[in-house]
Amino acid sequence: MKGYASSQLQPAKTDSADAALIARFGRREDPRPWEPPEAAESRLQEPTRARQALQKEKTRAQNRLDEAEDEAVPRAHENLLGEIERQI
């Protein structure tokens, strides 16, 4: 909806303006109702989501390692990074 709103040059951000925009979108675009993915599709998405979560955690751990000031802390973060990389 955000992209549609900007394409319509809607300056005001109020509930009534949003409601009118959504109604106009529904009339013009005739969107299909949302349907949940089938179980098989959801199962296929799980490994991708898990990998993305691990990549985010790897970035956080690397940032903590880069910012570590105490001498004992880097080893813990390096161990964590190694475990995350092994799982990815």
Side-chain angles (χ1 to χ4, degrees), residues 4 8 14-15 19 26 31 33 39 41 49 55 67-68 76 82:
Y4 184 77
Q8 299 299 302
T14 64
D15 288 346
E41 185 179 344
R49 288 190 185 116
Q55 287 175 322
E67 298 297 320

Side-chain angles (χ1 to χ4, degrees), residues 19-77:
L21 176 74
I22 293 168
R24 190 167 56 246
F25 175 81
R27 284 191 305 273
R28 289 184 180 170
E29 303 299 324
D30 192 29
R32 292 181 295 139
W34 179 81
E35 294 182 17
E38 298 202 15
E41 185 179 344
S42 291
R43 282 193 305 275
L44 288 173
Q45 292 172 345
E46 285 179 29
T48 300
R49 288 190 185 116
R51 186 173 191 277
Q52 289 170 341
L54 284 168
Q55 287 175 322
K56 285 182 181 182
E57 186 57 37
K58 178 182 174 185
T59 299
R60 285 191 288 266
Q62 184 64 55
N63 291 341
R64 289 190 301 264
L65 175 62
D66 293 343
E67 298 297 320
E69 294 178 11
D70 187 300
E71 293 177 13
V73 174
R75 181 173 306 212
H77 291 304

Side-chain angles (χ1 to χ4, degrees), residues 3-20:
Y4 184 77
S6 68
S7 75
Q8 299 299 302
L9 303 174
Q10 179 177 344
K13 183 76 173 121
T14 64
D15 288 346
S16 60
D18 287 348

